[in-house]
Amino acid sequence: MAIVGSILKRLIDLRDNLVSEPDAQKAQEEVLQKLLKTAKDTEFGKHYNFGAILESVDMRKTFAEKIPYFDYHKLEREWWYKVHNGEENITWPGRPPYFALSSGTTGKSSKRIPVTSEMVEAIRKAGIKQVSALSNFDLPPDFFEKEIMMLGSSTDLQKEGDHHEGEISGISASNIPFWFRGYYKPGEDIAKIEEWDERVQRIAENAKNWDIGALSGIPSWLELMMKKVIEYNNLDNIHDIWPNLQVFTSGGVAFEPYEKSFNALLGHPITVIDTYLASEGFLAFQARPETNAMKLILDNGIYFEFVPFKAEYIKQDGSLVEDAPVISLADVKEDEDYVLLISTVSGAWRYLIGDTIKFTDVSRNEIRITGRTKFFLNVVGSQLSVNKMNDAVQELEENFDIKIPEFTLAAVRIDGEFHHHWYLGTETDISEEKLAEALDESLKKANKNYRVARSKALKGVKVSKVHPEMFPEWNATNKKKGGQVKMEKVMNEEKFAEWEKFVKKNKSKFL
């Protein structure tokens, strides 16, 4: 038995037993109160009279009534532009030491999201909570002695005046505690390499020197990294070089669409643990093995609100209509989709993070990410959400025994009539017509609105097959490789036309 691992496991078990679970409603009220008190003398706090909100009979209700909804663009246009220009005390006291760069899943221009010292500390505390939750999983003591491969963006942050800029994974990795650095791979030198291909090449070259027990990162990029390690070292699977790999921690995206292609790179099954780390904060993590849902972190600098995810509340650009109703944590229901709003210690207020979620267990405050508001395809009334798309693609994988790790689609006009045109990342020989028919039937069965749309304005479904690596190539061209970059699942007609030109130009690379 590994002595050090046993000690670490016992310490984690002990901490888990000593730290009691906070009362959810009380914890959220205390978070909101602290946020308002801390920011009441900022320009934002004075403008919306945080002092009066704090003194009101129902603080949460008054907060919801007085503060409008903000997405990134509205908050940047009205307030954060001042922070970007170097001004202090705008939406949070002082000046943030970091800005998280996020191109998200739409657009070429990066968002610059303030990351305060309080947020860095909140992310650190959330990480400790997640590590403590490992005591709930059936992991052997020697797991706690193994190294952890954290594949995020470069930790070589850019110095810009009085602050640093980089993706949130790079900011987080650059602030890892000293005691964890011995476990952290690929190590500081390799992690600083900006160029994705060079960084992955160095990982492949050094892989034999490491005893990796856990992987952490976005599934699509970890797949590419593992393929490179396997190819470079002439292996059958990743366990040939990392035999003690037992855990994969996914971040910010649903793992199910990648499950089949990801597992094909393994020698045996591993434990998959979901986490929810966004550029705006560490929101949730999977706390127990009986579920794939994640537990919201309710006592750590983030206040949550929820808007029912209905077509009448969502604008075409994915933002909310001004009078969309909002509910607090106390009133959410299981298995209903909600648009997630957060207010944070980085000075984001009633902020539309862009994700939709559903509660799988209200008593445990456990959620699943179900999609993106911008990927709600409703051009002809189909009301097609990302989770319905993912389910349909997974059904294709199961029915035809194929792998489809990535896809994208758009509502396009063909001869004046609307069709859904899907691009599936797959190397199967099954015809595009057969895939289109199966996809269409799956969605008709699962989605009443889609079924009605198909009988009226939505005239057909078209499928085009492309090599799975076309998607990271597209991201590399339009944004960058690696890190937090995710593929957009739904495109507008203009972006889709660019995508099709790109595919046509680059198809020969993958023949």
Side-chain angles (χ1 to χ4, degrees):
M1 180 180 290
I3 302 301
V4 175
S6 297
I7 294 171
L8 288 173
K9 191 174 191 300
R10 283 201 297 270
L11 287 173
I12 290 171
D13 291 340
L14 179 62
R15 184 191 183 278
D16 200 46
N17 290 329
L18 291 175
V19 178
S20 59
E21 194 64 37
D23 175 81
Q25 311 307 326
K26 184 179 179 182
Q28 279 288 274
E29 186 161 348
E30 288 176 355
V31 166
L32 178 59
Q33 184 179 56
K34 189 171 182 178
L35 289 172
L36 293 170
K37 280 183 177 179
T38 304
K40 66 184 176 63
D41 293 324
T42 62
E43 285 192 27
F44 191 94
K46 291 175 181 177
H47 181 83
Y48 288 106
N49 200 354
F50 280 8
I53 295 174
L54 283 162
E55 293 174 2
S56 62
V57 175
D58 190 332
M59 179 179 61
R60 287 182 288 191
K61 184 172 182 290
T62 306
F63 176 71
E65 291 172 346
K66 299 297 183 183
I67 316 298
Y69 300 132
F70 287 93
D71 61 10
Y72 173 82
H73 299 291
K74 182 180 178 184
L75 196 52
E76 198 280 334
R77 184 173 62 248
E78 296 182 13
W79 296 96
W80 277 353
Y81 79 90
K82 297 181 181 181
V83 183
H84 297 149
N85 289 339
E87 297 184 42
E88 296 183 353
N89 304 316
I90 305 304
T91 63
W92 194 255
R95 286 268 303 149
Y98 302 99
F99 283 92
L101 303 181
S102 171
S103 58
T105 41
T106 55
K108 292 185 180 180
S109 59
S110 286
K111 300 173 184 177
R112 297 173 64 235
I113 299 165
V115 179
T116 61
S117 299
E118 292 91 336
M119 179 56 75
V120 172
E121 176 63 10
I123 291 173
R124 186 191 70 81
K125 287 181 178 178
I128 292 173
K129 287 175 180 283
Q130 183 193 355
V131 170
S132 296
L134 290 175
S135 63
N136 299 327
F137 293 80
D138 186 22
L139 297 170
D142 65 355
F143 168 78
F144 296 90
E145 291 186 328
K146 305 306 177 186
E147 295 160 329
I148 300 176
M149 169 67 70
M150 297 171 61
L151 190 66
S153 56
S154 171
T155 58
D156 188 18
L157 307 177
Q158 300 302 306
K159 175 73 171 170
E160 300 287 345
D162 65 346
H163 66 271
H164 288 83
E165 298 186 352
E167 292 183 17
I168 192 64
S169 59
I171 294 171
S172 300
S174 67
N175 281 281
I176 60 173
F178 72 91
W179 54 265
F180 182 69
R181 289 174 188 167
Y183 297 92
Y184 165 60
K185 297 301 176 193
E188 294 180 55
D189 290 341
I190 296 177
K192 285 182 179 179
I193 298 172
E194 178 66 28
E195 176 57 43
W196 161 262
D197 290 323
E198 182 184 349
R199 198 179 339 145
V200 171
Q201 178 64 29
R202 291 282 300 279
I203 289 172
E205 292 168 359
N206 286 274
K208 63 182 180 297
N209 302 320
W210 302 327
D211 187 7
I212 301 298
L215 299 173
S216 177
I218 291 176
S220 56
W221 295 108
L222 273 165
E223 275 191 39
L224 291 177
M225 182 274 289
M226 288 194 290
K227 285 179 180 178
K228 185 66 176 178
V229 172
I230 291 168
E231 175 193 358
Y232 179 84
N233 293 280
N234 194 25
L235 312 171
D236 290 329
N237 58 69
I238 201 67
H239 278 113
D240 285 346
I241 197 165
W242 295 330
N244 294 308
L245 175 62
Q246 299 179 65
V247 170
F248 167 51
T249 303
S250 180
V253 295
F255 176 65
E256 286 84 355
Y258 305 96
E259 186 172 7
K260 194 161 189 177
S261 58
F262 191 96
N263 288 345
L265 302 175
L266 307 176
H268 54 76
I270 61 176
T271 300
V272 178
I273 301 175
D274 278 342
T275 62
Y276 192 177
L277 172 61
S279 297
E280 294 84 359
F282 198 152
L283 280 65
F285 61 88
Q286 185 179 337
R288 59 194 181 98
E290 308 93 281
T291 179
N292 58 4
M294 297 176 288
K295 187 179 187 65
L296 285 175
I297 306 173
L298 301 174
D299 59 349
N300 195 36
I302 299 177
Y303 176 70
F304 298 95
E305 295 173 280
F306 311 90
V307 173
F309 184 44
K310 296 183 179 179
E312 58 265 35
Y313 304 146
I314 312 296
K315 298 179 185 177
Q316 192 64 43
D317 64 357
S319 61
L320 294 170
V321 299
E322 291 182 8
D323 60 348
V326 69
I327 59 178
S328 68
L329 184 66
D331 298 314
V332 296
K333 297 178 180 178
E334 288 180 8
D335 295 322
E336 293 189 8
D337 282 359
Y338 296 102
V339 178
L340 184 61
L341 297 176
I342 59 173
S343 299
T344 78
V345 290
S346 276
W349 298 101
R350 307 202 76 213
Y351 182 94
L352 176 66
I353 197 169
D355 291 325
T356 59
I357 60 99
K358 70 176 179 181
F359 281 82
T360 59
D361 190 323
V362 169
S363 64
R364 288 187 168 98
N365 305 299
E366 289 179 340
I367 64 162
R368 291 288 292 158
I369 300 171
T370 56
R372 299 280 294 171
T373 57
K374 288 185 179 181
F375 297 163
F376 184 47
L377 189 56
N378 194 35
V379 174
V380 288
S382 57
Q383 297 192 21
L384 195 57
S385 60
V386 170
N387 62 321
K388 295 296 184 186
M389 300 174 204
N390 285 337
D391 289 346
V393 170
Q394 277 188 272
E395 192 170 319
L396 281 187
E397 288 186 314
E398 292 166 7
N399 290 345
F400 292 107
D401 192 23
I402 59 178
K403 296 190 286 288
I404 310 172
E406 289 284 13
F407 68 86
T408 192
L409 74 151
V412 298
R413 294 179 191 87
I414 300 176
D415 298 327
E417 295 183 314
F418 273 107
H419 291 65
H420 281 179
H421 189 172
W422 292 70
Y423 273 81
L424 302 180
T426 182
E427 298 180 83
T428 182
D429 292 329
I430 297 166
S431 72
E432 294 173 340
E433 291 74 20
K434 196 169 184 178
L435 291 170
E437 181 182 350
L439 195 57
D440 192 30
E441 288 304 314
S442 176
L443 288 168
K444 283 178 184 176
K445 286 187 294 183
N447 188 336
K448 176 185 175 183
N449 293 309
Y450 178 87
R451 187 166 62 250
V452 171
R454 280 291 284 117
S455 68
K456 295 180 179 178
L458 183 59
K459 295 303 178 182
V461 173
K462 179 181 179 182
V463 163
S464 296
K465 296 183 295 184
V466 294
H467 195 284
E469 291 189 18
M470 189 71 73
F471 296 88
E473 284 297 318
W474 163 263
N475 282 333
T477 300
N478 287 270
K479 304 161 192 169
K480 59 186 288 189
K481 281 188 173 182
Q484 299 296 108
V485 178
K486 305 163 194 172
M487 182 66 196
E488 57 262 61
K489 301 299 187 187
V490 176
M491 298 182 181
N492 59 32
E493 284 192 86
E494 182 181 356
K495 174 65 76 66
F496 197 70
E498 293 178 23
W499 160 256
E500 292 202 293
K501 288 179 183 176
F502 176 84
V503 170
K504 186 176 180 180
K505 180 181 177 182
N506 292 275
K507 207 163 189 176
S508 61
K509 288 184 181 180
F510 304 105
L511 295 178

